[in-house]
């Protein structure tokens, strides 16, 4: 008899194992008696939902319905040797793959084996484990036309199998990156080893005793060419130690480790490797002890923008931020833990990670909707378009009717599994109203940077936009019916109206939720326009205008500064004063009407955030530069950018998080604030256009960015003060239409010395003069205002 399925939180997703596999796996399923190579094939019937289709079964094996992991069916092997379930596939292309399956067993002795042309290429022995556990046969190298058999073979007890999958192997992988398996995979000299007395996370760490000549290292061999970042959490008792990466014996990058007794994260950036290289990752001793933990590899970002300036601080800030942000990107195909958090440091199993990046606490194996929304623009500047798309799609898939169209709060890096610390069941999970709207807004942002038509053509994303701006609001508008989405006032596990989740306001409606709803309406209008649905675009443009009018005429009251309303309780009582997110999100999301009242509120926010009302956590402060750049308050915005950067080495208030700079939102937002803030870039890759306006603060004479990726092109942009801008279309197939904006009303604008027509417009309360010019690939346009 097979064991009953253990109780656990439901895993809800619109992507079935079969459809996910079809996307990822260039292998073809063979019929039980024959196979044929095709260019882009898939494995058949991975969840056994089609019964025996595609699989072979001996006597004593089959499919059943009594204990599936997901869906309605599973495959089983009865107790006793000699029983087998298998499928033969034929690769259409060469590659290296990981084969995975979820398996439950009544005892030991069974095996999960992959054979290539009859020879065992890898096997996983199955212990007695009655709860479904994910097993992997890793890094199986195949050639086009090989015969690849995926087999499950019986032992002393029953075996249940479900959700078989095949993934591209990670191009480079480290064994035992957190030292949880002791010395496995690593080499140690005398005076070094593994201990349990002071891990960064988990239960173990590696250490080097004081004194030179001690070393810990691992040598890995890439299976594909690429460029990678190598990161590790390190604490030291003194200076002189080093974290070094060598390729074929030559130093490819090194970090000198300072004296810092608490853990911080260090990175060797952008190391190029080729398939078959010998890559050594080494930690070498200095004058004092060194502790090392939690190594991570990241693919170098597709874009490598470079900032130069008359102010060396902004160049240093941007260089630090882009490197730090890149170090949080996951290598697709990496096998990593699931559901790691401070209460469950070992996690609850493992999975194959997909395209994603860290957004949230570094001691949890997940990315968060709020953080990810704020990191989308910075990720776009770094060319992390695949990551943005797959992460946004994963959140979209989670916003089901059962969840009342809330997206889940956090997803593991497999892009499927809800983080267990924040999700218990469909009625009990963390959810905050602004995130549902921000994900719609930021999907449009990612679209404007990447130009990827999936943002308007993908059905899961499109359904998310529509439900999130219609049914979501209708389902959450009961306490104060007015067309504004509400929280429950009962905490984050039942739905919070505000990101300021530690306050005691118990809001039904909050400034950050209504502001985010306004931006979601605008995003929906823009996305509908790009999709060609002009009627829907007009409908949402009007909805946004109506909401903004209602906010300024009624919702926010008539008071100014500290007297502006920032939320309503479930009983309808209004609240004024300082509310952190539910204060600054109102002007940041542009729902406040520009003018004297908005100016007074911006003054109030800066005053509060500069004094006793300053948030304790640095990630909350990262919104302030965005708030002030929006209204051309460039000196204030730059002040807050510097505040965040200057405190990057301060200890974060959450113990396991490390330093402020090791919170991912810090680096990603500094990247976007340099480009969209200081340089005023407004991208529209689908329309092959962009607008720019200098937002240089007082004392910054010029600022330039090279290798700025927009759609399929690379651009260079330079601002000299507020009256001279230069755009070069460095490479790529497309001509871009450039709207060169200059603050105020100017008498003339020349482009490459030739007078151009001058127009004016008001953007967020600031009057700009502008001209438009087509910039073809390989050409430069210099716009001068006078």
């Amino acid at each position: 008899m097979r064991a009953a399925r253990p109780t656990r939180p439901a895993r809800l997703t619109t992507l079935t194992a079969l459809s996910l596999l079809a996307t990822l796996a260039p292998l073809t399923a063979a019929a039980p008696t024959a196979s044929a190579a095709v260019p882009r094939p898939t494995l058949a019937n991975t969840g056994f939902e089609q019964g025996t289709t595609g699989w072979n079964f001996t006597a004593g094996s089959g499919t059943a319905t009594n204990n599936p992991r997901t869906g309605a069916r599973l495959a089983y092997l009865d107790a006793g040797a000699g029983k087998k379930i298998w499928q033969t596939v034929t690769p259409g292309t060469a590659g290296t793959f990981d084969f995975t399956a979820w398996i439950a067993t009544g005892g030991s002795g069974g095996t999960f084996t992959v054979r290539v042309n009859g020879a065992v290429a890898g096997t996983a022995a199955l212990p007695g484990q009655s709860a479904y556990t994910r097993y992997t046969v890793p890094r199986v190298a195949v050639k086009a036309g090989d015969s690849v058999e995926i087999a499950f073979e019986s032992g002393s007890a029953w075996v249940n199998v479900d959700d078989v999958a095949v993934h591209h192997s990670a191009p480079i992988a480290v064994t035992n990156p957190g030292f949880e398996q002791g010395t496995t995979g690593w080499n140690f000299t005398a005076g070094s080893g593994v201990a349990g007395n002071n891990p960064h996370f988990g239960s173990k760490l590696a250490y080097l005793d004081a004194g030179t000549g001690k070393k810990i290292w691992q040598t890995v061999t890439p299976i594909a060419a690429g460029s990678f970042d190598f990161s590790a959490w390190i604490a030291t008792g003194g200076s002189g130690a080093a974290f070094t990466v060598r390729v074929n014996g030559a130093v490819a990058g090194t970090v000198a480790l300072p004296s810092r007794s608490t853990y911080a994260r260090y990175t060797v950036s952008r190391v190029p490797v080729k398939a078959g290289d010998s890559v050594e990752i080494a930690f070498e001793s200095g004058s004092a002890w060194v502790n090392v933990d939690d190594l991570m590899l990241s693919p170098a970002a597709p874009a490598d923008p470079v900032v130069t300036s008359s102010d060396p601080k902004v160049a240093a800030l941007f260089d630090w931020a882009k490197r730090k942000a890149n170090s949080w990107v996951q290598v697709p195909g990496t096998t990593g833990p699931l559901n790691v958090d401070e209460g469950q440091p070992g996690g609850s199993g493992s999975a194959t990670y997909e395209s994603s990046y860290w957004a949230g606490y570094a001691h949890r194996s997940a990315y968060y909707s709020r953080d990810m929304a704020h990191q989308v623009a910075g990720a776009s500047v770094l060319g992390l378009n695949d990551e943005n798309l797959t992460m946004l799609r994963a959140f979209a898939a989670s916003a089901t009717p059962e969840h009342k169209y809330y997206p889940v709060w956090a997803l593991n890096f497999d892009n499927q599994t809800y983080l267990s610390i924040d999700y218990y069941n469909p009625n009990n999970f963390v959810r905050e109203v602004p995130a549902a709207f921000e994900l719609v807004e930021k999907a449009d942002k990612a679209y404007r940077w990447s130009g990827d038509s999936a943002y308007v053509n993908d059905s899961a994303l499109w359904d998310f936009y529509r439900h999130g701006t219609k049914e979501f609001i209708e389902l959450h508008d009961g306490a104060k019916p007015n067309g504004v989405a509400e929280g429950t006032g009962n905490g984050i596990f039942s739905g919070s109206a505000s990101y300021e989740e530690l306050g005691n306001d118990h809001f039904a409606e909050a400034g950050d939720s209504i502001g985010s709803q306004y931006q979601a309406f605008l995003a929906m209008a823009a996305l509908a326009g790009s999709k060609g649905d002009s009627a829907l675009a007009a409908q949402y443009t009007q909805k946004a205008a109506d909401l903004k009018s209602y906010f300024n005429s009624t919702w926010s009251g008539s008071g100014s500064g500290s007297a502006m309303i920032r939320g309503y309780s479930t009983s309808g009582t209004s609240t004024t004063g300082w509310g952190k997110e539910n204060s600054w999100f109102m002007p940041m999301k542009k729902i406040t009407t520009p003018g004297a009242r908005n100016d007074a509120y911006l003054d109030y926010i800066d005053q509060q955030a500069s004094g006793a009302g300053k948030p304790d956590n640095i990630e909350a402060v990262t919104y302030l530069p965005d708030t002030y750049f929006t209204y051309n308050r460039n000196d204030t915005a730059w002040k807050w950018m510097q505040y965040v950067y200057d405190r990057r080495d301060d200890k974060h208030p959450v113990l396991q998080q490390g330093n402020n700079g090791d919170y991912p939102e810090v680096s990603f937002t500094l990247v976007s604030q340099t480009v969209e803030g200081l340089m005023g870039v407004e991208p529209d890759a689908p329309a092959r256009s962009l607008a720019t306006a200098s937002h240089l603060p007082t004392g910054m004479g010029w600022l330039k960015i090279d290798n700025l990726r927009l759609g399929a092109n690379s651009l260079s942009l330079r601002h000299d003060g507020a009256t001279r801008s230069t755009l070069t279309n460095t490479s790529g197939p497309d001509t871009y239409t450039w709207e060169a904006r200059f603050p105020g009303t100017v008498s003339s604008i020349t482009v490459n010395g030739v007078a151009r027509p001058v127009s004016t417009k008001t953007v967020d309360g600031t009057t700009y003069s502008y001209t438009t010019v087509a910039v073809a690939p390989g050409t430069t346009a210099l716009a001068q205002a006078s």
Side-chain angles (χ1 to χ4, degrees):
M1 177 178 289
R2 290 175 293 281
R5 181 181 181 181
T7 301
R8 62 179 182 84
R11 181 173 69 88
L12 304 173
T13 176
T14 59
L15 291 176
T16 65
L18 182 61
S19 64
L20 179 64
L21 191 60
T23 303
L24 296 175
L27 297 171
T28 185
T33 56
S35 64
V38 294
R40 293 184 61 82
T42 80
L43 187 63
N45 191 17
T46 58
F48 302 98
E49 298 303 296
Q50 290 79 49
T52 60
T53 300
W55 293 90
N56 304 276
F57 297 81
T58 64
S61 65
T63 65
T65 60
N66 66 321
N67 183 31
R69 173 180 174 267
T70 59
R73 302 189 72 84
L74 73 147
Y76 68 88
L77 298 158
D78 284 335
K83 302 169 183 68
K84 179 178 177 181
I85 302 167
W86 75 101
Q87 181 174 157
T88 302
V89 296
T90 302
T93 58
T96 303
F97 301 94
D98 295 346
F99 294 79
T100 65
W102 288 85
I103 302 171
T105 60
S108 61
T111 58
F112 168 27
T113 301
V114 177
R115 296 176 177 88
V116 177
N117 299 325
V120 172
T123 190
L126 305 177
Q129 175 60 268
S130 62
Y132 275 106
T133 303
R134 189 173 181 272
Y135 296 89
T136 301
V137 178
R139 302 176 80 83
V140 176
V142 301
K143 303 184 298 297
D146 278 348
S147 175
V148 181
E149 179 190 272
I150 303 106
F152 305 94
E153 293 160 314
S154 61
S156 61
W158 58 264
V159 176
N160 287 355
V161 180
D162 207 351
D163 296 332
V164 186
V166 56
H167 307 265
H168 285 283
S169 299
I172 184 170
V174 174
T175 301
N176 188 20
F179 303 98
E180 296 303 298
Q181 288 79 51
T183 60
T184 300
W186 293 91
N187 303 280
F188 298 81
T189 64
S192 65
V194 173
N197 62 320
N198 184 31
H200 166 254
F201 212 60
S203 61
K204 293 185 173 65
L205 73 146
Y207 67 86
L208 297 159
D209 285 336
T212 60
K214 302 169 182 68
K215 179 178 176 181
I216 302 166
W217 75 101
Q218 182 175 154
T219 302
V220 299
T221 302
I223 62 173
S227 184
F228 298 91
D229 286 6
F230 299 77
S231 301
W233 290 86
I234 302 172
T236 60
S239 61
F243 170 25
T244 301
V245 177
R246 297 177 177 87
V247 178
N248 299 324
V251 172
T254 190
V255 175
L257 301 175
S259 176
R260 185 187 299 276
S261 60
T262 57
Y263 278 103
R265 198 166 181 269
Y266 299 89
T267 300
V268 178
S269 299
R270 304 188 79 87
V271 175
V273 301
K274 303 184 298 296
D277 277 348
S278 175
V279 181
E280 180 191 88
I281 305 153
F283 305 94
E284 295 160 319
S285 62
S287 61
W289 58 264
V290 177
N291 288 354
V292 179
D293 207 351
D294 296 332
L295 187 74
M296 176 178 167
L297 271 60
S298 301
D304 186 20
V306 176
V307 163
T308 51
S309 176
S310 59
D311 184 344
K313 185 169 187 177
V314 69
L317 174 154
F318 186 83
D319 186 68
W320 173 87
K322 73 171 183 180
R323 291 174 182 271
K324 179 64 77 171
N326 192 109
S327 75
W328 293 112
V329 182
Q330 298 289 352
V331 175
T334 297
T335 297
L338 294 173
N339 295 322
V340 174
D341 61 62
E342 55 271 32
Q344 189 173 228
S348 65
S350 64
T352 300
Y353 288 176
E354 305 299 343
S355 294
S356 57
Y357 51 78
W358 229 291
Y361 288 132
H363 60 281
R364 296 181 182 175
S365 59
Y367 54 87
Y368 281 75
S369 54
R370 170 183 175 167
D371 297 73
M372 193 256 173
H374 203 199
Q375 292 174 210
V376 160
S380 297
V381 171
L382 297 177
L384 300 175
N385 299 323
D386 289 345
E387 288 77 5
N388 276 342
L389 179 61
T390 56
M391 293 163 73
L392 287 164
R393 186 185 276 137
F395 280 122
S398 76
T400 62
E402 188 174 23
H403 287 158
K404 296 182 180 179
Y405 297 112
Y406 267 109
V408 298
W409 191 234
L411 283 151
N412 281 272
F413 297 116
D414 65 344
N415 292 344
Q416 296 183 66
T417 307
Y418 307 156
L419 187 69
S420 59
I421 194 174
D422 293 310
Y423 187 95
Y424 298 143
N425 61 56
N427 297 309
N428 190 11
F429 64 98
V430 176
R431 57 209 121 142
E432 299 183 8
V433 173
F437 294 126
E438 280 212 287
L439 291 173
V440 176
E441 175 195 355
K442 301 303 182 170
D444 181 62
K445 172 71 72 174
Y447 179 43
R448 300 303 152 188
W449 274 107
S450 68
D452 190 334
S453 62
Y455 284 103
V456 292
N457 293 331
D458 181 273
S459 59
L461 284 170
W462 191 254
D463 287 346
F464 173 64
Y465 309 150
R466 293 301 310 271
H467 293 316
T469 55
K470 185 177 185 297
E471 287 88 349
F472 176 77
I473 299 167
E474 294 167 354
L475 285 169
H476 305 283
D477 186 25
K480 188 177 185 293
N482 56 356
V484 177
E486 299 171 354
T488 65
N490 295 320
I492 59 176
F493 273 88
S494 63
S496 172
S498 176
Y499 281 153
E500 172 39 23
E501 58 192 39
L502 299 180
N504 298 310
D505 296 311
H506 304 293
F507 283 145
E509 296 176 4
D512 43 346
S513 57
I514 192 172
S516 297
Q517 182 175 329
Y518 170 68
Q519 282 298 322
F521 283 167
L522 292 177
M524 188 69 217
L527 291 161
S530 294
K531 195 176 177 68
D533 192 335
S534 57
L536 189 63
Q539 176 188 340
Y540 273 90
T541 299
Q542 187 61 52
K543 285 167 75 75
D546 291 345
L547 184 64
K548 185 168 186 173
S549 176
Y550 168 66
F551 173 88
N552 287 283
S553 64
T554 304
W555 194 96
S556 63
S558 58
S560 181
S562 63
M564 184 181 288
I565 294 170
R566 59 179 173 86
Y568 290 86
S569 70
T570 53
S571 64
T573 303
S574 63
T575 299
T576 59
W578 178 233
K580 299 179 183 178
E581 283 89 343
N582 47 68
S583 290
W584 64 65
F585 261 61
M586 295 190 290
M588 187 184 77
K589 294 299 184 182
K590 308 180 186 180
I591 197 169
T592 51
T593 298
R597 184 171 183 244
N598 185 60
D599 290 342
Y601 200 59
L602 290 169
D603 291 342
Y604 171 69
I605 292 169
D606 186 51
Q607 178 187 51
Q608 293 298 309
S610 298
K614 185 184 281 106
D616 294 330
N617 54 329
I618 196 70
E619 58 271 24
V621 181
T622 63
Y623 290 104
L624 293 176
D626 300 313
T627 302
Y628 288 96
F629 278 128
T630 297
Y631 300 98
N632 207 36
R633 291 196 171 199
N634 305 323
D635 287 355
T636 305
W638 175 232
K639 176 190 78 172
W640 285 113
M641 282 183 70
Q642 292 182 90
Y643 177 90
V644 171
Y645 176 66
D646 290 344
R647 285 152 184 82
R648 66 193 183 280
D649 291 330
D650 291 355
K651 192 76 180 68
H652 191 276
V654 174
L655 177 64
Q656 301 95 334
Q657 173 55 43
N659 297 332
N660 283 338
D662 292 324
Y663 198 99
E665 200 171 351
V666 168
S667 52
F668 278 89
T669 55
L670 287 175
V671 168
S672 61
Q673 288 156 1
T674 303
V675 176
E676 293 186 336
L678 289 168
M679 305 212 72
V681 175
E682 294 183 11
D684 195 353
R688 308 296 187 267
S689 67
L690 77 158
T692 68
S694 171
H695 291 297
L696 302 192
T698 302
M700 190 179 291
W702 60 270
L703 181 63
K704 182 183 181 186
I705 186 166
D706 292 302
N707 305 327
L708 179 63
R709 184 77 59 87
L710 180 57
N713 284 48
S714 181
L715 309 174
S716 172
L717 174 67
R718 173 171 169 150
H719 293 312
D720 290 85
T723 60
R724 179 185 175 100
S725 298
T726 307
L727 181 71
T728 301
N729 191 341
T730 309
S731 63
D734 298 317
T735 294
Y736 268 79
T737 300
W738 177 33
E739 183 176 290
R741 297 176 184 169
F742 302 95
T745 301
V746 303
S747 58
S748 70
I749 299 176
T750 61
V751 176
N752 295 335
V754 178
R756 300 281 298 183
V758 179
S759 302
T760 60
K761 63 168 59 174
T762 300
V763 180
D764 302 321
T766 299
T767 298
Y768 291 95
S769 302
Y770 69 95
T771 192
T772 58
V773 58
V775 185
T779 67
T780 296
L782 189 161
Q784 177 78 54
S786 62

